[in-house]
Amino acid sequence: MSQGVEDWMWLQFTLARESSRAEEVAGDVFGLQEIQNDISEIGQRIFVKGQEAAAGGYGTFFLLQILGGMFEHAVSYLGNYAPINAVHFGIALDYYGLLRVSDFYTSGEELLSFTTKQLPQINFAFLITQYTREFRAGNVEAAVDYFTLICLNADLPGELGKSQASVCHEALREFILETRDFAKLLGDVKSDGTRIKGAIEQRLKLIKLDNQEEFLKTITTQAAAVADDKGLTADAVLLYHLAEDYDNVIVILNRALSDAVAVNLGSLVHQAKPSAGQQSDTTDAGSSFSLTSVEDPVVLARNMIGLYNTNAMYYQQIHPTNREACGILLRMMDAKRKVEAGKWAQALDELNDLQILPLNARGSLPYIRSATQSFSALPPVIARNGGHLIMWSITCISRERERLQHGVYENDMRQGLADQLLGMAKDLMVFAGMIRLKLLPGVYEALAKAAGDMSVL
């Protein structure tokens, strides 16, 4: 059948003549337009929906359209029967400049449309974006390759070429935010700080950008904001780092650490879990894992701070207040873990080293007032956990006094230490009363109860 189609088409082309229509008699004109009209008529009479098999299958009519130069019609027709084949025939035809493409923003979801001169045109961008829906969640790099193909038409003259490039860029932005596979798409960072290029950055030359660096930074920052809003701490940290917004990295880490400090003793800390795509292994020398592909916010913070402290370029772009707050929060987590482990004396020493609580006041009201004023100047991420620090301290004091008073041997030294601890507890209650309005609801009452229980030991 296909041989017969080719013979028939060859005969039509042999008979066809392209000449001036003004000079020819209307009935004698037989050119490409007439051949295409004949093909369209054959399609309407024979290759109607449901009867293609009797006429040799839809492939026969598709071949007729291709041979007749009806490329836009051919792609549109094939899309009704074999969408995947239609996409790839469309790509091949577009690559060789044989497809007339329409403006995505005016054509909407219409695949085949016509110009004001009634010339057929294909919505190539729509064809590509619709096709990628089938697999783009599971194969992000392949999806980026297909989106890049939209820019095959970016060199078209006038606004049409610009709109094709614009569609490509917008599709990439939406794709990044949709899949959240940030490490593969935008890049990653190794444990030694080396940056790994993402799929988009590797194809920058193909997507016709006027300012490649600005585009990458913009979409990375947008993705970082979305990740932060969704609570994807590890992703937000990675993306702000890639966008070179190192201060914001520390701000996010401080917030995550502050949340971890606020979790009740013995409870599981919310994990800064990265998106699935980010948990890929890298086997390059010097690094066996992504720097941000960790779930523990404390480990994540130590990784990033360790990287920034060894590089002046990073270090100088971080606000000192944020950097200091991160260090304090990490020490608070260390103290918390000592409390959870029942190491009361060690935990109390670490809480004292934070220099937030008046544990060395020894009954001095001026000292406690000074601590209160200093507390008021603390960053919110630290100050919000003041109640927890006091509770931990009261717990440590209570348990340590209990240990001292129930020892096998009693002596003046033990009693002196117990009295000193009781004095600390009283100072803490005075301090808590002064900052009562800054404590979370119910914290002061819990402190008062804990202190009351301890006073009868």
Side-chain angles (χ1 to χ4, degrees), residues 140-141 143-145 147-148 168-169 172-173 175-176 181-189 193-209 211-220 238-239 241-244:
V140 295
E141 292 193 28
V144 171
D145 285 333
F147 286 135
T148 303
C168 172
H169 303 160
L172 288 171
R173 283 193 193 95
F175 180 54
I176 291 166
D181 202 344
F182 304 122
K184 283 185 180 178
L185 292 172
L186 295 174
D188 205 345
V189 55
T194 306
R195 179 170 177 168
I196 306 169
K197 288 185 178 181
I200 293 176
E201 190 172 357
Q202 291 171 2
R203 296 161 177 79
L204 280 180
K205 292 182 179 179
L206 300 176
I207 57 178
K208 311 296 181 184
L209 287 167
N211 190 329
Q212 297 180 359
E213 185 177 342
E214 185 62 29
F215 174 78
L216 264 184
K217 193 167 185 178
T218 300
I219 61 173
T220 303
L238 168 65
L239 292 167
H241 177 82
L242 294 176
E244 300 179 359

Side-chain angles (χ1 to χ4, degrees), residues 290-305:
S290 166
L291 184 62
T292 58
S293 61
V294 293
E295 298 184 8
D296 189 333
V298 176
V299 176
L300 179 60
R302 291 194 192 281
N303 284 348
M304 300 310 296
I305 281 291

